Amino acid sequence: MTGRDLLAAVYRVVAREEPSARTREVLGQFPTYAVGTLLARSLSLLAQLYVARSLSPDQFGRVSLALATGVVLSIPMQAAWGTAFVRFAVVRPAGSTPWHILRAAIVLTATSSLIVVSLALAGSPFARVWLGIPLGVYLTGILAAVTSAAWLFAKSSCQGLQAWKRLVVIEVTWSSLVLLVPLTLRLLGERFDWRIVLVFVGAYVLASSPAWRLWVATPDQPVAPELPRQWNFGKYLGGANLVAALPLYGDRFLVNASAGLPTLGIYQTYALVSFGIAVFTAALVSRFLFPLLNLGRRSTALRLFRRVLPGAAVVFVAGNFGLGYCAIKFAHYPFEAATFLIAVVGAFAYCVTTFLNDLAATHERRGPRIVLGANLLTCLLFFPVAILL
């Protein structure tokens, strides 16, 4: 029995229906994607734990702030235009090419990046005074936003074309670089400080290179008509994911502003494992299923989700807690069970909402607005509690 046959048998038991030819094809691609994604996330987690172990809490706090700044600025663009490309590339007419769809998404991403960088630079006094972010850290974060936007869009390009092996190469290349370079520096006897974050920034650029050939493909249809369609779809998702990024990464800014960089370094080490596992799980489920959902398998996916969720919750929380304990001890930080349990539960909530957001986003007209409303409600619940804590 092949891997595809085994997955099809599991699908048949859980979904209680026969997998379609398209579903069987997707299931055949899943093992390579799953193993590659697991490898990438594991290497990335090891890299960040190694950097945390090698730096003082103050220095690692600076690394965390720079990366958080970059992600908060880049995620809305990827969510808007990367998701728009996946949405429309998957449902394009049979026999047509996706290059005009991709080119429109590139134009919107480049324009958005220019606007976001300009606004971020203008907001540097606010970041320094109100959030307590050192200027050098903040400017590095803006640079990270540009390069991570390219890396995230490279992955969306492969996702829209369902080029899963190419996507795995992009993921593994980045995570390998951010682990091997710090290790090599230490083996050579070199010391490094928070500016090691520039390795993460450079790795974004190098790792996105497998997608460059896709970006320069010549469109055989006009690009201009595609721009308003993607704009109307993506503008709500961009806003929704900006709102979602605030509770997801905004806690780092709150901890820094209220307790300082050393406390942030310790806090972020607590969050590394739970968040890393959450990102892996979300990527494994939502990213792989999103193209399939757009082909009309929404009801089956939701039924699978409901049946798997109870058992998955138990495995996720137990496994996350055990791995987190080992990782925190590896970094030589004290372990507080109650604090880490909160991080684990929050990570599980992230996985659930990611899938539900992607499911809603498959509805072209009202789905992005539903996602925006749900994320706004989450923020209204999150920030008062976070401020009190």
Side-chain angles (χ1 to χ4, degrees), residues 185-261:
L185 289 175
R186 276 304 171 91
L187 289 174
L188 295 176
E190 300 288 340
R191 296 184 62 84
F192 53 81
D193 58 15
W194 73 271
R195 287 169 291 187
I196 193 70
V197 74
L198 292 173
V199 172
F200 289 71
V201 174
Y204 285 135
V205 178
L206 293 175
S208 63
S209 59
W212 295 350
R213 187 176 65 83
L214 305 175
W215 295 345
V216 298
T218 303
D220 55 5
Q221 299 183 51
V223 175
E226 185 65 29
L227 291 170
R229 182 170 73 144
Q230 292 195 26
W231 165 257
N232 290 330
F233 177 81
K235 61 184 179 183
Y236 295 107
L237 285 180
N241 281 271
L242 174 61
V243 172
L246 295 178
L248 192 58
Y249 298 97
D251 53 353
R252 304 186 198 183
F253 301 110
L254 287 175
V255 171
N256 174 62
S258 61
L261 285 167

Side-chain angles (χ1 to χ4, degrees), residues 82-351:
T83 303
F85 171 67
V86 176
R87 171 71 177 86
F88 297 120
V90 168
V91 299
R92 71 183 188 275
S96 63
T97 62
W99 308 124
H100 66 296
I101 306 173
L102 182 58
R103 183 63 57 86
I106 291 171
V107 170
L108 290 169
T109 301
T111 304
S112 300
S113 298
L114 180 61
I115 294 172
V116 166
V117 168
S118 300
L119 293 174
L121 290 172
S124 57
F126 169 80
R128 284 188 297 161
V129 175
W130 293 99
L131 299 179
I133 305 177
L135 181 60
V137 172
Y138 184 68
L139 294 178
T140 304
I142 295 175
L143 178 62
V146 176
T147 56
S148 64
W151 181 68
L152 291 168
F153 189 77
K155 294 194 290 183
S156 292
S157 301
C158 298
Q159 182 188 5
L161 300 173
Q162 298 181 58
W164 300 111
K165 292 181 180 179
R166 191 187 298 259
L167 193 153
V168 166
V169 170
I170 292 172
E171 292 264 32
V172 173
T173 299
W174 183 82
S175 55
S176 299
L177 287 171
V178 298
L179 176 61
L180 293 177
V181 173
L183 281 172
T184 302
L185 289 175
R186 276 304 171 91
L187 289 174
L188 295 176
E190 300 288 340
R191 296 184 62 84
F192 53 81
D193 58 15
W194 73 271
R195 287 169 291 187
I196 193 70
V197 74
L198 292 173
V199 172
F200 289 71
V201 174
Y204 285 135
V205 178
L206 293 175
S208 63
S209 59
W212 295 350
R213 187 176 65 83
L214 305 175
W215 295 345
V216 298
T218 303
D220 55 5
Q221 299 183 51
V223 175
E226 185 65 29
L227 291 170
R229 182 170 73 144
Q230 292 195 26
W231 165 257
N232 290 330
F233 177 81
K235 61 184 179 183
Y236 295 107
L237 285 180
N241 281 271
L242 174 61
V243 172
L246 295 178
L248 192 58
Y249 298 97
D251 53 353
R252 304 186 198 183
F253 301 110
L254 287 175
V255 171
N256 174 62
S258 61
L261 285 167
T263 302
L264 173 62
I266 297 173
Y267 171 83
Q268 184 54 26
T269 304
Y270 263 65
L272 275 178
V273 174
S274 56
F275 181 69
I277 294 176
V279 170
F280 164 70
T281 306
L284 198 64
V285 177
S286 293
R287 184 188 294 154
F288 195 82
L289 284 182
F290 187 63
L292 188 61
L293 293 174
N294 284 284
L295 293 172
R297 310 295 293 179
R298 300 186 189 99
S299 59
T300 299
L302 190 56
R303 187 161 59 250
L304 283 168
F305 176 73
R306 287 170 176 165
R307 289 175 180 164
V308 171
L309 182 62
V314 174
V315 174
F316 182 94
V317 172
N320 201 326
F321 199 87
L323 290 172
Y325 175 83
C326 296
I328 291 169
K329 288 300 182 181
F330 172 79
H332 297 308
Y333 287 167
F335 183 82
E336 295 181 9
T339 303
F340 187 68
L341 183 60
I342 293 173
V344 171
V345 173
F348 181 72
Y350 166 75
C351 295

